[in-house]
Amino acid sequence: DAGVTQSPTHLIKTRGQQVTLRCSPISGHKSVSWYQQVLGQGPQFIFQYYEKEERGRGNFPDRFSARQFPNYSSELNVNALLLGDSALYLCASSLWAASTDTQYFGPGTRLTVL
Amino acid sequence: DAKTTQPNSMESNEEEPVHLPCNHSTISGTDYIHWYRQLPSQGPEYVIHGLTSNVNNRMASLAIAEDRKSSTLILHRATLRDAAVYYCILKETSGSRLTFGEGTQLTVNP
């Protein structure tokens, strides 16, 4: 079975641009979460979506937005990119949005902002 | 969020047991203790979780102190493939977000 997939693998943007990252969850999983991992640190929670509704938001500015589609795939959008947005963006899927759920992570999208 | 404290780094030799400690003195009664690991150039990977009792699975064992203020992840025979950053996470009962700390970088020597 395919795991969580993310696209693109790598991305280079310049300051002020906008970026869209994509995630396909494991088949049957209805919840998708997004995390940002800056080099040398642990991942930081950005969003969780379940059944197309936002279920949680981390401490990130409004430049960050996301959505989930009827097939449970998800997009993360970041507007007005800053140098500090350079990071590995991880998507994780789980069956539900319950606290006991195990989250399965994709390989991430490496975003570099110049 | 309740916080966890882990050593920045640990070393082990191949085929020897590894005990990775985690302190969580402010844990609440309903927080689950989860462990994830992140191999180089990969996303985090679930290892094990528990609430009060010790837990075993094919990857590792989790020993939880009686007062739940600390726990230890045990890899019974370390392999080179176990070299990774190991994260100890307290998972709240409301919602499924994971709050990662800095983790422990485990180095396995051949």
Side-chain angles (χ1 to χ4, degrees):
Chain A
D1 286 344
V4 176
T5 58
Q6 293 185 244
S7 63
T9 305
H10 296 86
L11 202 53
I12 299 175
K13 292 285 188 178
T14 57
R15 281 178 297 176
Q17 285 189 311
Q18 175 264 339
V19 68
T20 298
L21 311 180
R22 295 175 176 82
C23 171
S24 292
I26 292 172
S27 177
H29 285 194
K30 297 184 177 182
S31 178
V32 168
S33 298
W34 287 95
Y35 292 80
Q36 180 197 64
Q37 186 172 26
V38 174
L39 197 62
Q41 297 182 18
Q44 300 300 306
F45 172 78
I46 310 175
F47 286 111
Q48 183 188 33
Y49 276 78
Y50 175 69
E51 291 281 14
K52 296 178 290 181
E53 290 190 2
E54 183 182 302
R55 284 297 189 94
R57 171 186 281 257
N59 189 24
F60 281 81
D62 291 343
R63 299 185 296 107
F64 288 76
S65 64
R67 55 180 175 167
Q68 187 177 33
F69 299 99
N71 67 353
Y72 303 111
S73 68
S74 177
E75 286 183 351
L76 175 70
N77 295 285
V78 187
N79 294 322
L81 285 167
L82 303 174
L83 294 180
D85 295 331
S86 295
L88 180 68
Y89 288 85
L90 295 159
C91 173
S93 78
S94 57
L95 275 169
W96 313 106
S99 61
T100 52
D101 282 347
T102 296
Q103 293 198 19
Y104 298 86
F105 286 81
T109 293
R110 173 71 63 188
L111 172 65
T112 302
V113 182
L114 302 176
Chain B
D1 294 339
K3 298 195 70 171
T4 62
T5 304
Q6 299 178 252
N8 288 334
S9 62
M10 291 186 65
E11 273 194 51
S12 174
N13 295 321
E14 202 174 5
E15 297 190 5
E16 290 185 355
V18 182
H19 290 233
L20 297 165
C22 180
N23 288 316
H24 30 78
S25 59
T26 60
I27 189 171
S28 75
T30 53
D31 284 343
Y32 280 80
I33 302 160
H34 284 245
W35 284 81
Y36 280 73
R37 70 180 185 181
Q38 188 170 21
L39 279 64
S41 302
Q42 294 187 26
E45 173 188 34
Y46 168 80
V47 177
I48 199 167
H49 78 279
L51 184 61
T52 57
S53 305
N54 295 344
V55 184
N56 300 293
N57 66 19
R58 63 174 181 82
M59 290 181 69
S61 295
L62 177 59
I64 302 172
E66 199 167 325
D67 63 5
R68 299 209 330 125
K69 293 186 177 182
S70 65
S71 60
T72 302
L73 179 69
I74 303 165
L75 307 179
H76 295 285
R77 290 184 67 205
T79 69
L80 296 178
R81 198 191 169 281
D82 291 322
V85 178
Y86 286 79
Y87 295 100
C88 170
I89 299 166
L90 299 184
K91 198 137 179 257
E92 304 166 359
T93 53
S94 58
S96 60
R97 76 169 66 182
L98 296 170
T99 302
F100 290 83
E102 300 296 320
T104 297
Q105 174 69 61
L106 175 66
T107 301
V108 180
N109 300 312

